[in-house]
Amino acid sequence: MIHYESMQTVTWLTALTVFILLWAGTRTFPLFPVIRFFKELASSPRYLLHFAALLAILFLNKWELSLEESMNITSDFTGFIHSLEGGFVSGLQNLFYAPWMTSFLSFMYLIVFQSLLIVSIGIYTYKKNYQLYYATCYAVMMNYLIAIPFYLFFPVKEVWAFDPTVQFRMLEVFPSFETQYRELSGLDNCFPSLHTSMSVTMAILAFRSGIKGWAWFCGITASIIIFSIFYLGIHWLTDMFGGVMLGVFASAMGLRIAQVRPLPGKALGEVGVLYARDEAK
């Protein structure tokens, strides 16, 4: 039941998923949103600056793993978390295990999760909803900036690496996960769950977009991804609660910052209706 031979497979499946979701979200050929995106990068310094900052914060997350190694932190709070939860994850795994579910949930965890951010940027840019584009950038940066200190100073191991009764289901479909994907996600970077917080963030922003189909897709996807972190044996229940709170906070702050900061003239005119709507509320 091996679905992912390497990160190249993950990359190609992600590109295909982004293509399909862009088409569904914009109802146009996906190349058009891509062209719009590059036009904005070339014509709007503010747009470019925010996108560069977004990329920088994502690279910061990878750099954190190297920093963690150099700091040689020996503290471990996994036992404390386990004492609070007991065998919750193990029980859930045993209750719902099915090979088809492993395939489906690993796809949601690996492929759809990272597609959400890319497609959100594409949809909001294509529809000229710059307020939500900036809110997305701010919210993503907020997620990582808050989570990284926890990863450095409150290390919690993934459930399967601590509890012998929990299986790491991801290895059933991606045997080389530990050697190829692990460098993107530290083994003890559990609390809060970024898969949870980012999914919740994308869902909240999607519901603010007024695009009903995209909003419901993101909402349902967030719920499935949250279930997947337990089913695959990765996160603790505590990680999920922390991730939900972080996602709600980050999205609220992202929206607030995007509203109070003045937008470029072109963008301001295009989102004026949104501002009027917000003021009316």
Side-chain angles (χ1 to χ4, degrees):
M1 197 173 63
I2 298 175
H3 301 317
Y4 312 102
E5 296 287 349
S6 65
M7 281 301 295
Q8 185 176 6
T9 306
V10 173
T11 300
W12 281 111
L13 284 173
T14 300
L16 178 60
T17 302
V18 168
F19 184 93
I20 294 172
L21 292 180
L22 274 178
W23 171 79
T26 62
R27 300 300 177 91
T28 188
F29 185 62
L31 183 60
F32 297 150
V34 173
I35 293 173
R36 168 80 66 180
F37 167 74
F38 283 107
K39 282 185 176 180
E40 290 298 332
L41 287 179
S43 63
S44 171
R46 183 179 176 82
Y47 187 99
L48 175 61
L49 178 62
H50 281 75
F51 185 70
L54 182 62
L55 292 181
I57 203 69
L58 296 178
F59 279 111
L60 177 63
N61 182 58
K62 185 175 181 179
W63 174 76
E64 178 272 332
L65 298 178
S66 301
L67 177 61
E68 187 176 342
E69 291 180 5
S70 65
M71 291 174 63
N72 194 28
I73 296 175
T74 58
S75 56
D76 185 353
F77 294 88
T78 316
F80 171 70
I81 298 298
H82 181 262
S83 69
L84 297 176
E85 301 186 14
F88 170 79
V89 175
S90 176
L92 184 144
Q93 275 195 329
N94 295 330
L95 181 63
F96 291 100
Y97 177 71
W100 70 266
M101 190 171 288
T102 303
S103 300
F104 172 65
L105 292 179
S106 63
F107 178 80
M108 298 297 291
Y109 183 92
L110 285 173
I111 309 299
V112 177
F113 168 74
Q114 58 190 16
S115 299
L116 287 180
L117 174 58
I118 301 171
V119 177
S120 292
I121 290 175
I123 290 176
Y124 303 149
T125 300
Y126 181 75
K127 293 183 175 294
K128 299 182 179 181
N129 193 334
Y130 299 105
Q131 181 191 31
L132 274 182
Y133 165 74
Y134 292 124
T136 299
C137 293
Y138 291 132
V140 171
M141 288 187 278
M142 195 76 64
N143 271 285
Y144 281 93
L145 288 174
I146 293 176
I148 286 176
F150 280 98
Y151 296 161
L152 288 174
F153 303 109
F154 190 78
V156 177
K157 287 187 176 68
E158 294 179 0
V159 186
W160 68 271
F162 182 86
D163 188 343
T165 66
V166 173
Q167 302 295 316
F168 189 27
R169 300 294 186 196
M170 182 66 73
L171 298 181
E172 297 177 15
V173 294
F174 193 177
S176 60
F177 181 92
E178 286 301 295
T179 57
Q180 298 203 36
Y181 192 92
R182 178 57 65 190
E183 63 179 14
L184 302 175
S185 176
L187 184 64
D188 59 357
N189 289 0
C190 261
F191 180 86
S193 165
L194 272 178
H195 265 72
T196 298
S197 67
M198 289 290 289
S199 299
V200 168
T201 295
M202 294 302 106
I204 291 174
L205 295 179
F207 275 99
R208 281 297 299 266
S209 73
I211 308 171
K212 290 184 179 179
W214 179 241
W216 282 107
F217 176 81
C218 288
I220 293 171
T221 296
S223 300
I224 294 173
I225 289 175
I226 289 173
F227 178 74
S228 77
I229 67 175
F230 302 131
Y231 178 89
L232 295 172
I234 299 173
H235 280 286
W236 304 88
L237 186 62
T238 307
D239 304 334
M240 183 273 287
F241 284 130
V244 169
M245 289 189 290
L246 175 55
V248 171
F249 175 78
S251 56
M253 290 302 297
L255 285 166
R256 181 176 294 275
I257 296 171
Q259 288 174 347
V260 300
R261 290 178 64 87
L263 299 177
K266 183 174 79 167
L268 183 60
E270 288 164 344
V271 300
V273 175
L274 284 174
Y275 277 92
R277 242 179 238 163
D278 289 337
E279 289 298 322
K281 293 177 182 177

